[in-house]
Amino acid sequence: MSVTVLTGAGISTDSGIPDFRGPQGVWTKDPAAQELYTIDNYMADADVRRRSWIGRRDHAAWAARPNAGHAALVELERAGLLRALVTQNIDELHQRAGSSPGKVIELHGTLFHVVCMSCGQRTPMREVLDRVAAGEEDPPCPDCGGIQKADTISFGQSLRPLVLHAALQAARSCDLFLAVGTSLTVQPAAGLCGEAIDAGARLIVMNAQPTPYDDYAGEVVREPIGQALPALVKELIDAAG
Ligand SMILES: [Zn+2]
């Protein structure tokens, strides 16, 4: 059996990283923030960039540690059942938990690298934040002077075609598609569920709140991910063994 997993912010809340669209979500509590963090505003407004660097510096991901949900997906991979781990998260907690980087498809990029919007140069985030700490409010690219940004997908930015392609391939070539901790309201991530079902896969949705794909799922799990995911992975491994 092969399992493709899609994870969203809900798997990282146990690690202290707030989600976006849950009851206590970042966008739920402050819808205006979503408007501010568009790519157009970022490129046009130095003050948005200054605030964004502070947000990156203060992001909960720096201090976060992987939790039982992340660990369960490492077990799934070790059992030889993981086709791919597609994530909407930018926190790298899957890799830090021990998932192979080659198995992780980061749909929305990573907080831990910076990319130059002019020349594409990538730099570790830590190096750029050191410049912020030294007094630069909006550090330009050292090579070309261009505007730099976290290597994440902002509102208004397209996903990287190769990353999206890999995610689609993984959704279309699994026996089970498992959506964990995602509201399944953001495209094209949510559409991966439909792709998997169309290709004949079974769908399991594990999320605290209802999702638009619950009616298409063979199983819907509302229990906390930290307990429910390790239990489900054990079931899958036992069934395969
Ligand atoms: Zn550059």
Side-chain angles (χ1 to χ4, degrees):
M1 190 184 51
S2 83
V3 186
T4 290
V5 183
L6 169 67
T7 62
I11 198 172
S12 291
T13 51
D14 280 352
S15 296
I17 300 177
D19 64 15
F20 297 101
R21 293 177 177 78
Q24 297 300 316
V26 176
W27 309 141
T28 310
K29 290 203 282 191
D30 185 10
Q34 203 170 170
E35 190 56 37
L36 188 64
Y37 292 104
T38 63
I39 188 66
D40 289 347
N41 282 349
Y42 188 86
M43 296 305 288
D45 188 341
D47 194 54
V48 170
R49 295 197 293 277
R50 182 186 63 78
R51 290 161 65 173
S52 295
W53 290 115
I54 291 169
R56 290 162 191 151
R57 179 196 70 193
D58 295 343
H59 199 287
W62 292 103
R65 305 169 77 104
N67 62 56
H70 300 103
L73 295 178
V74 176
E75 293 305 314
L76 189 69
E77 180 183 346
R78 290 191 179 143
L81 300 180
L82 183 70
R83 165 73 175 80
L85 174 42
V86 184
T87 185
Q88 295 171 275
N89 300 337
I90 59 167
D91 54 34
E92 293 194 7
L93 287 179
H94 288 303
Q95 295 93 321
R96 279 198 268 163
S99 290
S100 305
K103 289 278 188 187
V104 181
I105 300 171
E106 295 174 308
L107 279 181
H108 296 167
T110 168
L111 174 71
F112 294 90
H113 272 85
V114 165
V115 66
C116 171
M117 300 304 286
S118 297
C119 74
Q121 165 89 3
R122 280 178 104 243
T123 323
M125 176 65 78
R126 183 72 76 182
E127 287 179 20
V128 182
L129 288 181
D130 284 347
R131 293 171 62 191
V132 174
E136 290 185 68
E137 290 195 331
D138 178 27
C141 172
D143 282 1
C144 78
I147 290 173
Q148 300 196 105
K149 193 180 89 60
D151 193 9
T152 54
I153 305 296
S154 301
F155 293 110
Q157 246 184 324
S158 303
L159 266 60
R160 296 188 204 298
L162 289 177
V163 172
L164 180 58
H165 180 74
L168 284 169
Q169 289 296 109
R172 288 170 183 154
S173 61
C174 62
D175 304 307
L176 171 65
F177 190 89
L178 172 58
V180 181
T182 165
S183 61
L184 297 176
T185 53
V186 177
Q187 295 298 348
L192 295 172
C193 293
E195 294 287 338
I197 292 168
D198 285 349
R202 180 164 180 260
L203 172 68
I204 296 181
V205 172
M206 185 178 288
N207 196 54
Q209 276 82 39
T211 82
Y213 286 87
D214 290 359
D215 288 345
Y216 305 97
E219 190 180 343
V220 176
V221 183
R222 296 267 183 259
E223 283 74 42
I225 293 166
Q227 287 129 47
L229 188 52
L232 175 63
V233 165
K234 184 173 183 308
E235 259 177 54
L236 294 172
I237 292 173
D238 289 348

mmCIF file of all heavy atoms in Angstrom, residues 108-141:
data_model
loop_
_atom_site.group_PDB
_atom_site.id
_atom_site.type_symbol
_atom_site.label_atom_id
_atom_site.label_comp_id
_atom_site.label_asym_id
_atom_site.label_seq_id
_atom_site.Cartn_x
_atom_site.Cartn_y
_atom_site.Cartn_z
ATOM 1 N N HIS A 108 4.151 25.389 0.033
ATOM 2 C CA HIS A 108 4.217 26.825 0.300
ATOM 3 C C HIS A 108 5.615 27.295 0.666
ATOM 4 O O HIS A 108 5.786 28.387 1.198
ATOM 5 C CB HIS A 108 3.203 27.199 1.393
ATOM 6 C CG HIS A 108 1.773 26.974 0.976
ATOM 7 N ND1 HIS A 108 0.710 26.984 1.849
ATOM 8 C CD2 HIS A 108 1.232 26.736 -0.256
ATOM 9 C CE1 HIS A 108 -0.418 26.754 1.185
ATOM 10 N NE2 HIS A 108 -0.130 26.601 -0.088
ATOM 11 N N GLY A 109 6.629 26.452 0.359
ATOM 12 C CA GLY A 109 8.005 26.882 0.579
ATOM 13 C C GLY A 109 8.431 26.704 2.029
ATOM 14 O O GLY A 109 7.830 25.944 2.791
ATOM 15 N N THR A 110 9.504 27.403 2.398
ATOM 16 C CA THR A 110 10.053 27.280 3.749
ATOM 17 C C THR A 110 10.434 28.642 4.310
ATOM 18 O O THR A 110 10.923 29.511 3.585
ATOM 19 C CB THR A 110 11.295 26.357 3.762
ATOM 20 O OG1 THR A 110 11.949 26.485 5.037
ATOM 21 C CG2 THR A 110 12.290 26.726 2.670
ATOM 22 N N LEU A 111 10.219 28.761 5.605
ATOM 23 C CA LEU A 111 10.602 29.985 6.307
ATOM 24 C C LEU A 111 12.119 30.087 6.457
ATOM 25 O O LEU A 111 12.654 31.165 6.693
ATOM 26 C CB LEU A 111 9.957 29.974 7.706
ATOM 27 C CG LEU A 111 10.343 31.089 8.679
ATOM 28 C CD1 LEU A 111 9.739 32.424 8.236
ATOM 29 C CD2 LEU A 111 9.883 30.760 10.100
ATOM 30 N N PHE A 112 12.817 28.958 6.312
ATOM 31 C CA PHE A 112 14.230 28.925 6.705
ATOM 32 C C PHE A 112 15.204 29.303 5.585
ATOM 33 O O PHE A 112 16.409 29.221 5.757
ATOM 34 C CB PHE A 112 14.572 27.565 7.324
ATOM 35 C CG PHE A 112 13.844 27.350 8.625
ATOM 36 C CD1 PHE A 112 12.599 26.753 8.663
ATOM 37 C CD2 PHE A 112 14.391 27.819 9.813
ATOM 38 C CE1 PHE A 112 11.912 26.590 9.865
ATOM 39 C CE2 PHE A 112 13.715 27.658 11.021
ATOM 40 C CZ PHE A 112 12.472 27.044 11.044
ATOM 41 N N HIS A 113 14.653 29.709 4.457
ATOM 42 C CA HIS A 113 15.485 30.293 3.423
ATOM 43 C C HIS A 113 14.871 31.598 2.922
ATOM 44 O O HIS A 113 13.674 31.824 3.046
ATOM 45 C CB HIS A 113 15.696 29.326 2.253
ATOM 46 C CG HIS A 113 16.869 28.420 2.453
ATOM 47 N ND1 HIS A 113 16.791 27.240 3.149
ATOM 48 C CD2 HIS A 113 18.173 28.549 2.055
ATOM 49 C CE1 HIS A 113 17.992 26.677 3.185
ATOM 50 N NE2 HIS A 113 18.848 27.440 2.533
ATOM 51 N N VAL A 114 15.742 32.412 2.365
ATOM 52 C CA VAL A 114 15.346 33.696 1.796
ATOM 53 C C VAL A 114 15.651 33.614 0.311
ATOM 54 O O VAL A 114 16.616 32.968 -0.098
ATOM 55 C CB VAL A 114 16.172 34.832 2.454
ATOM 56 C CG1 VAL A 114 16.088 36.126 1.678
ATOM 57 C CG2 VAL A 114 15.708 35.030 3.902
ATOM 58 N N VAL A 115 14.813 34.254 -0.494
ATOM 59 C CA VAL A 115 15.071 34.272 -1.929
ATOM 60 C C VAL A 115 15.048 35.719 -2.427
ATOM 61 O O VAL A 115 14.263 36.537 -1.939
ATOM 62 C CB VAL A 115 14.045 33.385 -2.698
ATOM 63 C CG1 VAL A 115 12.636 33.948 -2.595
ATOM 64 C CG2 VAL A 115 14.451 33.178 -4.145
ATOM 65 N N CYS A 116 15.968 36.034 -3.351
ATOM 66 C CA CYS A 116 15.973 37.365 -3.963
ATOM 67 C C CYS A 116 14.921 37.396 -5.062
ATOM 68 O O CYS A 116 14.901 36.527 -5.931
ATOM 69 C CB CYS A 116 17.346 37.697 -4.535
ATOM 70 S SG CYS A 116 17.331 39.214 -5.537
ATOM 71 N N MET A 117 14.043 38.400 -5.022
ATOM 72 C CA MET A 117 12.945 38.475 -5.976
ATOM 73 C C MET A 117 13.436 38.935 -7.358
ATOM 74 O O MET A 117 12.696 38.859 -8.329
ATOM 75 C CB MET A 117 11.857 39.425 -5.458
ATOM 76 C CG MET A 117 11.255 39.000 -4.117
ATOM 77 S SD MET A 117 10.564 37.322 -4.124
ATOM 78 C CE MET A 117 9.062 37.584 -5.069
ATOM 79 N N SER A 118 14.697 39.423 -7.430
ATOM 80 C CA SER A 118 15.236 39.840 -8.732
ATOM 81 C C SER A 118 16.089 38.754 -9.386
ATOM 82 O O SER A 118 15.864 38.404 -10.544
ATOM 83 C CB SER A 118 16.083 41.113 -8.574
ATOM 84 O OG SER A 118 15.279 42.173 -8.121
ATOM 85 N N CYS A 119 17.060 38.195 -8.633
ATOM 86 C CA CYS A 119 18.001 37.256 -9.266
ATOM 87 C C CYS A 119 17.805 35.811 -8.824
ATOM 88 O O CYS A 119 18.437 34.910 -9.356
ATOM 89 C CB CYS A 119 19.445 37.692 -9.026
ATOM 90 S SG CYS A 119 20.038 37.412 -7.347
ATOM 91 N N GLY A 120 16.929 35.601 -7.827
ATOM 92 C CA GLY A 120 16.636 34.227 -7.414
ATOM 93 C C GLY A 120 17.635 33.618 -6.448
ATOM 94 O O GLY A 120 17.479 32.466 -6.047
ATOM 95 N N GLN A 121 18.652 34.383 -6.055
ATOM 96 C CA GLN A 121 19.659 33.896 -5.096
ATOM 97 C C GLN A 121 18.991 33.456 -3.793
ATOM 98 O O GLN A 121 18.156 34.155 -3.247
ATOM 99 C CB GLN A 121 20.649 35.041 -4.825
ATOM 100 C CG GLN A 121 21.541 34.877 -3.627
ATOM 101 C CD GLN A 121 22.826 34.146 -3.975
ATOM 102 O OE1 GLN A 121 23.085 33.810 -5.117
ATOM 103 N NE2 GLN A 121 23.629 33.905 -2.963
ATOM 104 N N ARG A 122 19.348 32.253 -3.305
ATOM 105 C CA ARG A 122 18.808 31.759 -2.034
ATOM 106 C C ARG A 122 19.865 31.843 -0.945
ATOM 107 O O ARG A 122 21.024 31.519 -1.172
ATOM 108 C CB ARG A 122 18.350 30.305 -2.164
ATOM 109 C CG ARG A 122 16.996 30.142 -2.806
ATOM 110 C CD ARG A 122 16.627 28.672 -2.951
ATOM 111 N NE ARG A 122 15.650 28.231 -1.977
ATOM 112 C CZ ARG A 122 15.860 27.312 -1.043
ATOM 113 N NH1 ARG A 122 17.030 26.726 -0.938
ATOM 114 N NH2 ARG A 122 14.894 26.961 -0.215
ATOM 115 N N THR A 123 19.441 32.291 0.238
ATOM 116 C CA THR A 123 20.336 32.460 1.380
ATOM 117 C C THR A 123 19.632 31.892 2.611
ATOM 118 O O THR A 123 18.416 31.999 2.704
ATOM 119 C CB THR A 123 20.567 33.976 1.667
ATOM 120 O OG1 THR A 123 20.639 34.680 0.441
ATOM 121 C CG2 THR A 123 21.797 34.218 2.482
ATOM 122 N N PRO A 124 20.382 31.308 3.558
ATOM 123 C CA PRO A 124 19.732 30.894 4.804
ATOM 124 C C PRO A 124 19.082 32.093 5.510
ATOM 125 O O PRO A 124 19.673 33.178 5.572
ATOM 126 C CB PRO A 124 20.884 30.327 5.640
ATOM 127 C CG PRO A 124 21.910 29.905 4.633
ATOM 128 C CD PRO A 124 21.801 30.919 3.522
ATOM 129 N N MET A 125 17.870 31.887 6.019
ATOM 130 C CA MET A 125 17.152 32.958 6.726
ATOM 131 C C MET A 125 17.976 33.516 7.878
ATOM 132 O O MET A 125 17.990 34.718 8.115
ATOM 133 C CB MET A 125 15.803 32.413 7.219
ATOM 134 C CG MET A 125 14.992 33.374 8.060
ATOM 135 S SD MET A 125 14.418 34.853 7.176
ATOM 136 C CE MET A 125 13.015 34.196 6.255
ATOM 137 N N ARG A 126 18.680 32.612 8.570
ATOM 138 C CA ARG A 126 19.442 33.045 9.742
ATOM 139 C C ARG A 126 20.439 34.156 9.385
ATOM 140 O O ARG A 126 20.590 35.132 10.120
ATOM 141 C CB ARG A 126 20.177 31.821 10.329
ATOM 142 C CG ARG A 126 20.942 32.082 11.582
ATOM 143 C CD ARG A 126 20.066 32.298 12.791
ATOM 144 N NE ARG A 126 19.505 31.059 13.308
ATOM 145 C CZ ARG A 126 18.670 30.994 14.349
ATOM 146 N NH1 ARG A 126 18.309 32.093 14.980
ATOM 147 N NH2 ARG A 126 18.200 29.832 14.768
ATOM 148 N N GLU A 127 21.086 34.027 8.235
ATOM 149 C CA GLU A 127 22.073 35.040 7.824
ATOM 150 C C GLU A 127 21.423 36.400 7.605
ATOM 151 O O GLU A 127 21.974 37.440 7.957
ATOM 152 C CB GLU A 127 22.761 34.604 6.511
ATOM 153 C CG GLU A 127 23.745 33.471 6.687
ATOM 154 C CD GLU A 127 24.375 33.053 5.361
ATOM 155 O OE1 GLU A 127 24.358 33.852 4.392
ATOM 156 O OE2 GLU A 127 24.884 31.901 5.295
ATOM 157 N N VAL A 128 20.236 36.377 6.993
ATOM 158 C CA VAL A 128 19.562 37.646 6.709
ATOM 159 C C VAL A 128 19.025 38.256 8.005
ATOM 160 O O VAL A 128 19.090 39.473 8.212
ATOM 161 C CB VAL A 128 18.447 37.453 5.662
ATOM 162 C CG1 VAL A 128 17.780 38.784 5.325
ATOM 163 C CG2 VAL A 128 19.022 36.816 4.393
ATOM 164 N N LEU A 129 18.534 37.394 8.914
ATOM 165 C CA LEU A 129 18.040 37.916 10.195
ATOM 166 C C LEU A 129 19.183 38.491 11.034
ATOM 167 O O LEU A 129 18.966 39.416 11.826
ATOM 168 C CB LEU A 129 17.289 36.827 10.967
ATOM 169 C CG LEU A 129 15.926 36.450 10.383
ATOM 170 C CD1 LEU A 129 15.250 35.383 11.234
ATOM 171 C CD2 LEU A 129 15.006 37.669 10.236
ATOM 172 N N ASP A 130 20.403 37.971 10.842
ATOM 173 C CA ASP A 130 21.557 38.567 11.518
ATOM 174 C C ASP A 130 21.754 40.011 11.043
ATOM 175 O O ASP A 130 22.121 40.887 11.833
ATOM 176 C CB ASP A 130 22.833 37.755 11.239
ATOM 177 C CG ASP A 130 22.884 36.463 12.049
ATOM 178 O OD1 ASP A 130 22.063 36.319 12.991
ATOM 179 O OD2 ASP A 130 23.719 35.593 11.732
ATOM 180 N N ARG A 131 21.504 40.252 9.752
ATOM 181 C CA ARG A 131 21.616 41.624 9.225
ATOM 182 C C ARG A 131 20.515 42.510 9.800
ATOM 183 O O ARG A 131 20.734 43.691 10.070
ATOM 184 C CB ARG A 131 21.556 41.608 7.689
ATOM 185 C CG ARG A 131 22.777 40.937 7.046
ATOM 186 C CD ARG A 131 22.594 40.746 5.547
ATOM 187 N NE ARG A 131 22.430 42.014 4.834
ATOM 188 C CZ ARG A 131 22.045 42.103 3.549
ATOM 189 N NH1 ARG A 131 21.779 40.992 2.865
ATOM 190 N NH2 ARG A 131 21.934 43.278 2.976
ATOM 191 N N VAL A 132 19.314 41.932 9.966
ATOM 192 C CA VAL A 132 18.217 42.694 10.576
ATOM 193 C C VAL A 132 18.601 43.058 12.016
ATOM 194 O O VAL A 132 18.430 44.210 12.447
ATOM 195 C CB VAL A 132 16.901 41.881 10.544
ATOM 196 C CG1 VAL A 132 15.796 42.609 11.315
ATOM 197 C CG2 VAL A 132 16.467 41.628 9.096
ATOM 198 N N ALA A 133 19.163 42.079 12.731
ATOM 199 C CA ALA A 133 19.572 42.331 14.123
ATOM 200 C C ALA A 133 20.652 43.407 14.192
ATOM 201 O O ALA A 133 20.747 44.158 15.160
ATOM 202 C CB ALA A 133 20.066 41.032 14.763
ATOM 203 N N ALA A 134 21.470 43.483 13.125
ATOM 204 C CA ALA A 134 22.558 44.472 13.101
ATOM 205 C C ALA A 134 22.066 45.854 12.649
ATOM 206 O O ALA A 134 22.868 46.780 12.530
ATOM 207 C CB ALA A 134 23.676 43.980 12.181
ATOM 208 N N GLY A 135 20.754 45.972 12.374
ATOM 209 C CA GLY A 135 20.206 47.295 12.101
ATOM 210 C C GLY A 135 19.621 47.520 10.729
ATOM 211 O O GLY A 135 19.039 48.578 10.472
ATOM 212 N N GLU A 136 19.767 46.560 9.800
ATOM 213 C CA GLU A 136 19.156 46.739 8.472
ATOM 214 C C GLU A 136 17.666 46.406 8.565
ATOM 215 O O GLU A 136 17.304 45.306 8.968
ATOM 216 C CB GLU A 136 19.835 45.820 7.446
ATOM 217 C CG GLU A 136 21.254 46.222 7.096
ATOM 218 C CD GLU A 136 21.823 45.337 5.981
ATOM 219 O OE1 GLU A 136 21.342 45.437 4.849
ATOM 220 O OE2 GLU A 136 22.745 44.544 6.284
ATOM 221 N N GLU A 137 16.817 47.360 8.172
ATOM 222 C CA GLU A 137 15.379 47.122 8.309
ATOM 223 C C GLU A 137 14.842 46.229 7.202
ATOM 224 O O GLU A 137 13.858 45.518 7.380
ATOM 225 C CB GLU A 137 14.617 48.454 8.303
ATOM 226 C CG GLU A 137 14.866 49.269 9.562
ATOM 227 C CD GLU A 137 13.858 50.395 9.724
ATOM 228 O OE1 GLU A 137 13.355 50.889 8.691
ATOM 229 O OE2 GLU A 137 13.597 50.761 10.876
ATOM 230 N N ASP A 138 15.480 46.295 6.024
ATOM 231 C CA ASP A 138 14.997 45.527 4.864
ATOM 232 C C ASP A 138 16.211 45.133 4.033
ATOM 233 O O ASP A 138 16.498 45.738 3.000
ATOM 234 C CB ASP A 138 14.024 46.395 4.058
ATOM 235 C CG ASP A 138 13.515 45.690 2.808
ATOM 236 O OD1 ASP A 138 13.462 44.436 2.808
ATOM 237 O OD2 ASP A 138 13.159 46.395 1.837
ATOM 238 N N PRO A 139 16.958 44.100 4.473
ATOM 239 C CA PRO A 139 18.247 43.774 3.837
ATOM 240 C C PRO A 139 18.092 43.418 2.362
ATOM 241 O O PRO A 139 17.366 42.482 2.025
ATOM 242 C CB PRO A 139 18.735 42.553 4.633
ATOM 243 C CG PRO A 139 17.931 42.541 5.895
ATOM 244 C CD PRO A 139 16.626 43.175 5.560
ATOM 245 N N PRO A 140 18.788 44.150 1.471
ATOM 246 C CA PRO A 140 18.730 43.825 0.051
ATOM 247 C C PRO A 140 19.636 42.646 -0.297
ATOM 248 O O PRO A 140 20.493 42.265 0.504
ATOM 249 C CB PRO A 140 19.229 45.100 -0.631
ATOM 250 C CG PRO A 140 20.116 45.738 0.377
ATOM 251 C CD PRO A 140 19.605 45.346 1.740
ATOM 252 N N CYS A 141 19.439 42.087 -1.487
ATOM 253 C CA CYS A 141 20.269 40.981 -1.972
ATOM 254 C C CYS A 141 21.727 41.447 -2.055
ATOM 255 O O CYS A 141 22.010 42.481 -2.649
ATOM 256 C CB CYS A 141 19.777 40.547 -3.346
ATOM 257 S SG CYS A 141 20.850 39.355 -4.170
#
